[in-house]
Amino acid sequence: FVVDGSLANDARLKTLFLAVLLVNICYCVAKLPLYYKYPERATPGALATWGALSATAAGALVLLRGMARPARDASGELVDGGEDITTGAGEYLADMIWVVCLTQIFFILTKWALLLLVVIPGYAMFRLGMDVLVPMYKARQEAAAAPAEPAQQFANRKERRAAQKSGGKGRP
């Protein structure tokens, strides 16, 4: 029976830590012997990319651990049970770790795997455009068209009055 969610947080953190660790071990086992045998493949860019991806995942794990850590006072009493990392920013960080791990796995096979890191921001931009910008543009178009109708009605009313006045004057 979990009261404060700390056991669920611990299990999730352990799963994410193992995923990051296993992916980095797989990379080392698969790539480092190739780099030793074929040193021309061990470009600074490839090693820097692996290091940047590993640092990103490690940094996200450190942030998640800090969010999930319970706070205690000087006497050891529990003050705060820690944030639930399955919601809010914790969920986004965990998703980011999974995407980085997937990218690292595919990066073993091809350097084009880095395009996976573009997919999520690309999708976010698409949703921003479809959910925010397009309705805002349509509302602006409708607002611009709406005032034209009363102005047109006002002009029509002026023409009708002018026609009535001129029609009334022309009668004997």
Side-chain angles (χ1 to χ4, degrees):
F1 184 72
V2 177
V3 177
D4 61 358
S6 64
L7 294 178
N9 281 347
D10 287 343
R12 184 143 185 183
L13 284 171
K14 284 179 185 176
T15 303
L16 291 170
F17 177 76
L18 285 175
V20 170
L21 184 66
L22 287 174
V23 165
N24 282 299
I25 288 172
C26 288
Y27 187 87
C28 290
V29 167
K31 283 292 195 176
L32 292 182
L34 286 174
Y35 290 160
Y36 181 74
K37 188 171 182 179
Y38 305 104
E40 66 276 1
R41 289 189 180 182
T43 62
L47 296 175
T49 302
W50 172 52
L53 289 172
S54 297
T56 301
L61 273 173
V62 168
L63 285 173
L64 277 175
R65 186 171 166 229
M67 289 169 57
R69 181 179 298 136
R72 300 188 184 276
D73 62 5
S75 64
E77 289 290 318
L78 185 66
V79 176
D80 181 21
E83 188 176 331
D84 182 15
I85 61 171
T86 60
T87 60
E91 185 177 6
Y92 293 120
L93 284 171
D95 290 344
M96 185 180 74
I97 291 171
W98 287 117
V99 169
V100 167
C101 287
L102 185 67
T103 303
Q104 279 184 311
I105 289 172
F106 287 132
F107 189 63
I108 292 171
L109 303 172
T110 177
K111 64 182 177 186
W112 294 103
L114 295 176
L115 292 176
L116 283 175
L117 296 176
V118 178
V119 169
I120 292 174
Y123 180 73
M125 295 304 286
F126 171 75
R127 293 308 309 173
L128 173 72
M130 295 307 290
D131 294 343
V132 176
L133 299 177
V134 169
M136 197 166 60
Y137 176 74
K138 285 184 179 179
R140 189 177 297 165
Q141 290 285 336
E142 291 172 3
E149 292 173 8
Q152 185 66 29
Q153 289 175 355
F154 181 71
N156 289 343
R157 191 174 352 148
K158 280 180 131 180
E159 290 174 5
R160 281 194 311 258
R161 286 183 184 166
Q164 286 175 355
K165 286 182 182 181
S166 67
K169 290 181 184 177
R171 289 186 191 169

